[in-house]
Amino acid sequence: MIDAGTFITELEGKHQESFRQLVAAYLGGLTKEGMSVTDALKLELRAVVEAVEVAALWLPDSEELRMKMALATRCGDCARHFQLVGERLSVLGVSPDSFDPRHGGYSKLFAFFRSLQTTEERTAAGFVTLGDLNLGRFEAMASFCEQKGDAETATLYRELLTEDERRHADAGRRMLIEVASTEESQARARRSTYRTIEVVGEVQDPSLLRKFLLRSVRK
C-alpha cells in the first residue's frame, strides 16, 4: 500500500486526460446546441443547487469535525454563488424567477453522491474529483463567455467561482490524506473517483442539457 499523499497525487494524475475530455465535451455540447451565456448560467444554477443539497445531506452524518466544517462552508459559498449567478442573469436580461433550476428532479450525479457513505468516498468524489473537473470547466467557460463578448461573466467564472472551488478541492485533498490510510479506504476512494467521471460524462449529454433548459421555464 502507498502512503495517502502519493495515492492522491497518482489518483488525480491518472485522470487528467479524462478531465480534459469531459470539459471539451461540455463546451462542445453548448456549441452544438447553440447555447448562449445565459443558458450556461442557468445550467450553473442547477449545479449549484445540487451542490448545496449534497453538502447538506452529508453534513449530519459526517463524524469528522473538519468534514462538517468543510461541508458547511461549501453550503455557504454555493448559496453566495447562486445569488451572484442569478444577479448576472438579471443584468443579461433574464429574471432568475423565470425558470426553476430544480426542474425535473435531481441529476444522476446527485443520486450517486447521495449513495456515498464514507468520508474517503465523499472527499474523493465530491471535493477532489468534481473540484478538479469544475476548475477546468470554469476556465473553459470563462473563455466561452469572452468569445461571446461577455467579459464580466468570464471574470465571475475565472475569479470568484474558481477561487472558491480551488479552496474546496484543497480542503478535500487534506481530508483525504487523513482518511485514505488503508488499502480498503483507498479502494473506496478510487472507485468513487472513477464512477464520478463516468456519471459526469452521462449527465452532460447535450440533449439532456437542452431538455432541462426548455422544460425549466416557468409557465
Side-chain angles (χ1 to χ4, degrees):
M1 187 192 77
I2 59 177
D3 66 90
T6 301
F7 166 72
I8 296 168
T9 299
E10 292 183 354
L11 188 67
E12 290 186 286
K14 288 178 181 178
H15 296 298
Q16 290 305 309
E17 182 57 31
S18 295
F19 295 158
R20 286 190 288 269
Q21 291 177 2
L22 285 171
V23 170
Y26 183 76
L27 286 180
L30 296 185
T31 301
K32 179 180 178 181
E33 294 296 323
M35 294 188 189
S36 63
V37 170
T38 55
D39 290 332
L41 290 175
K42 289 180 180 181
L43 294 171
E44 199 64 55
L45 284 184
R46 184 191 192 194
V48 169
V49 168
E50 290 201 352
V52 170
E53 296 218 31
V54 166
L57 282 170
W58 286 350
L59 197 155
D61 65 352
S62 292
E63 295 182 1
E64 295 84 359
L65 183 59
R66 183 192 293 270
M67 183 63 162
K68 283 184 178 292
M69 293 301 101
L71 292 168
T73 300
R74 189 161 184 82
C75 282
D77 285 346
C78 286
R80 180 167 55 116
H81 295 174
F82 187 91
Q83 179 180 356
L84 292 172
V85 172
E87 290 173 355
R88 188 65 200 143
L89 274 170
S90 295
V91 170
L92 295 173
V94 176
S95 171
D97 296 329
S98 65
F99 74 103
D100 188 345
R102 302 167 300 172
H103 173 82
Y106 300 104
S107 72
K108 192 173 182 179
L109 183 64
F110 177 90
F112 169 61
F113 280 177
R114 187 173 185 175
S115 73
L116 299 178
Q117 298 298 313
T118 67
T119 300
E120 56 267 25
E121 289 173 316
R122 292 171 174 180
T123 53
F127 282 80
V128 179
T129 304
L130 190 62
D132 285 342
L133 278 167
N134 281 339
L135 287 171
R137 183 172 63 83
F138 289 167
E139 177 56 35
M141 285 304 306
S143 297
F144 173 81
C145 293
E146 287 175 336
Q147 292 171 7
K148 296 287 186 180
D150 188 343
E152 291 186 35
T153 302
T155 297
L156 176 62
Y157 272 102
R158 190 167 279 138
E159 295 184 359
L160 187 141
L161 297 185
T162 291
E163 290 167 5
D164 284 349
E165 195 66 40
R166 182 173 291 112
R167 180 159 42 82
H168 295 310
D170 288 343
R173 290 186 191 95
R174 290 192 295 271
M175 288 187 288
L176 195 52
I177 287 175
E178 293 181 1
V179 298
S181 56
T182 66
E183 290 185 1
E184 293 78 9
S185 61
Q186 290 181 6
R188 285 191 290 268
R190 188 180 295 108
R191 285 194 298 269
S192 69
T193 294
Y194 276 99
R195 185 55 182 155
T196 299
I197 291 171
E198 290 176 350
V199 177
V200 168
E202 295 170 12
V203 300
Q204 67 181 27
D205 178 87
S207 62
L208 294 178
L209 299 180
R210 174 56 67 185
K211 184 180 294 185
F212 161 73
L213 291 173
L214 290 175
R215 294 184 177 178
S216 64
V217 176
R218 295 186 189 275
K219 305 298 183 182

